[in-house]
Amino acid sequence: AKAHQRASHSYFTLDMGVEIRERVRMMHALRAAFENERLFVVYQPQVDMRTTTPVGAEALLRWKNEEGQFVPPDQFIPIAEYSGLIVDIGEWVLRSACFELQHLHQLGYTDFKMAVNVSQAQFSHPQFLQSLERALVETKAPANCLELEITESMAMNDPEMLIKTLLHIKQFGVQISIDDFGTGFSSLSHLQRLNVDKLKIDRAFVNEINDKSGEGSIAKMIVQLSQSLNIKVIAEGVETKLQADTLMSFGCHLAQGYLYARPQTQLDLRAWLAQEPGQ
Ligand code: C2E
Ligand code: CA
Ligand code: CA
Ligand code: CA
């Protein structure tokens, strides 16, 4: 038993070593990919479910590694955050998204919104507001059609800092939405003070709407909350007609999900928009 214990202990440390080495390896590969322009941004459309009219898109980062395989964002974003790479990469995503937003407006999609994910490390970086302003000025993107997606946990870490930063962002006219809403633990009083424009219902709660068990009681509650706070609401990960119909019956009309469209390159997005009913 003693030998077994020692053995499993050493396996444990071995695994830890492997994991750390793997993370460091990935961090170097990610930095190289960024420097060699092997990262790209895809755009997932957002629609009004009542008419399936496109209303906007979310910019999502993609990484195709040397072997030609896609590394899932859930794997490399945490590494980008942990290493600080997310500050430069995130700024580049923001500029790319602003550029595309401006382009779509020029093509005549003048109400089209662009949502961009922003990590804590970017947000709390002293240069963030400047880089946001620069992205808007240099791309000439319409600020009021840009939405930054932040998470609830950011409200918990340092609410005072967040409130100050959000005030500045609002002065640019940029909108704020809370991503994955309901999965964090931010207090409702924070939510009101943050003065956000939109809540995004996490895919997990949309998933609960299915013919096996769920009625989507949490999704319903989030829609009601948004109504009583008078802020917009969108559901993510909508895959079935049942989910769409149920969400609409709750009063949620905006959605993003495979039922409507997958994340796609900017050229595919433009082609997709061209064959959709006009806005
Ligand atoms: P997220 O912000 O919650 O993004 C939504 C995710 O749901 C995306 O995964 C999208 O492809 C996926 N999705 C959308 N509709 C459906 C659906 O109907 N079914 C299913 N099964 N999935 C759906 P993705 O692109 O793999 O991104 C994962 C996460 O990585 C994102 O979650 C976000 O937290 C992070 N991420 C992606 N791009 C960026 C970025 O540029 N910056 C930062 N900071 N984070 C990013
Ligand atoms: Ca998001
Ligand atoms: Ca989300
Ligand atoms: Ca999510």
Side-chain angles (χ1 to χ4, degrees):
K2 209 92 196 233
H4 174 75
Q5 228 170 30
R6 202 164 31 230
S8 61
H9 178 256
S10 65
Y11 282 131
F12 177 67
T13 46
L14 182 69
D15 282 353
M16 295 262 293
V18 169
E19 203 183 287
I20 289 167
R21 261 201 302 277
E22 171 59 19
R23 254 192 280 171
V24 170
R25 192 197 61 77
M26 217 190 211
M27 186 190 98
H28 288 302
L30 180 60
R31 176 177 291 132
F34 180 52
E35 283 166 359
N36 298 312
E37 301 179 19
R38 274 184 278 114
L39 298 183
F40 60 103
V41 181
V42 290
Y43 299 91
Q44 186 177 29
Q46 302 177 335
V47 303
D48 186 324
M49 291 186 277
R50 292 170 292 192
T51 52
T52 72
T53 307
V55 294
E58 176 179 12
L60 294 160
L61 187 59
R62 291 292 178 266
W63 173 19
K64 203 174 190 177
N65 68 14
E66 304 261 52
E67 291 81 51
Q69 280 152 343
F70 285 106
V71 186
D74 291 331
Q75 261 173 46
F76 73 80
I77 296 282
I79 287 168
E81 286 173 337
Y82 181 77
S83 62
L85 274 174
I86 195 68
V87 174
D88 288 342
I89 295 178
E91 183 175 357
W92 172 78
V93 172
L94 181 64
R95 295 174 65 87
S96 307
C98 284
F99 182 85
E100 184 58 16
L101 175 62
Q102 148 67 9
H103 188 88
L104 291 172
H105 274 241
Q106 237 169 10
L107 288 178
Y109 304 103
T110 49
D111 289 325
F112 200 83
K113 309 283 193 296
M114 182 64 75
V116 181
N117 295 287
V118 181
S119 293
Q120 165 85 58
Q122 279 177 273
F123 218 76
S124 51
H125 194 278
Q127 239 89 81
F128 178 70
L129 289 170
Q130 264 169 280
S131 73
L132 174 62
E133 190 173 20
R134 218 168 341 122
L136 288 168
V137 170
E138 288 178 14
T139 63
K140 301 193 177 70
N144 59 341
C145 290
L146 177 67
E147 285 177 10
L148 301 184
E149 295 194 357
I150 63 172
T151 58
E152 276 174 283
S153 56
M154 287 163 63
M156 292 166 52
N157 290 345
D158 188 349
E160 298 313 316
M161 186 284 281
L162 185 65
I163 287 166
K164 257 177 66 186
T165 310
L166 290 184
L167 270 175
H168 281 283
I169 290 174
K170 296 247 145 162
Q171 281 166 4
F172 297 144
V174 172
Q175 310 277 297
I176 300 291
S177 55
I178 305 225
D179 204 358
D180 304 337
F181 188 76
T183 61
F185 300 94
S186 68
S187 74
L188 294 180
S189 60
H190 277 158
L191 185 63
Q192 204 159 27
R193 285 185 63 210
L194 293 177
N195 194 16
V196 300
D197 302 285
K198 196 187 263 182
L199 300 181
K200 207 164 179 185
I201 304 173
D202 191 63
R203 191 164 82 227
F205 305 127
V206 173
N207 249 321
E208 279 171 15
I209 305 169
N210 55 61
D211 39 13
K212 273 177 232 95
S213 56
E215 328 245 273
S217 47
I218 295 181
K220 185 176 189 178
M221 190 203 73
I222 295 173
V223 176
Q224 286 168 346
L225 178 66
S226 76
Q227 287 165 344
S228 60
L229 291 176
N230 200 18
I231 52 190
K232 285 174 259 179
V233 64
I234 182 167
E236 79 178 0
V238 176
E239 292 181 354
T240 66
K241 183 92 178 18
L242 174 71
Q243 290 168 344
D245 290 340
T246 308
L247 287 160
M248 282 190 276
S249 78
F250 295 161
C252 173
H253 302 299
L254 301 178
Q256 178 182 339
Y258 295 170
L259 180 62
Y260 302 101
R262 301 228 167 203
Q264 45 199 290
T265 63
Q266 55 182 31
L267 289 180
D268 287 344
L269 174 69
R270 291 173 201 170
W272 184 84
L273 283 170
Q275 52 89 53
E276 280 298 304
Q279 297 187 67

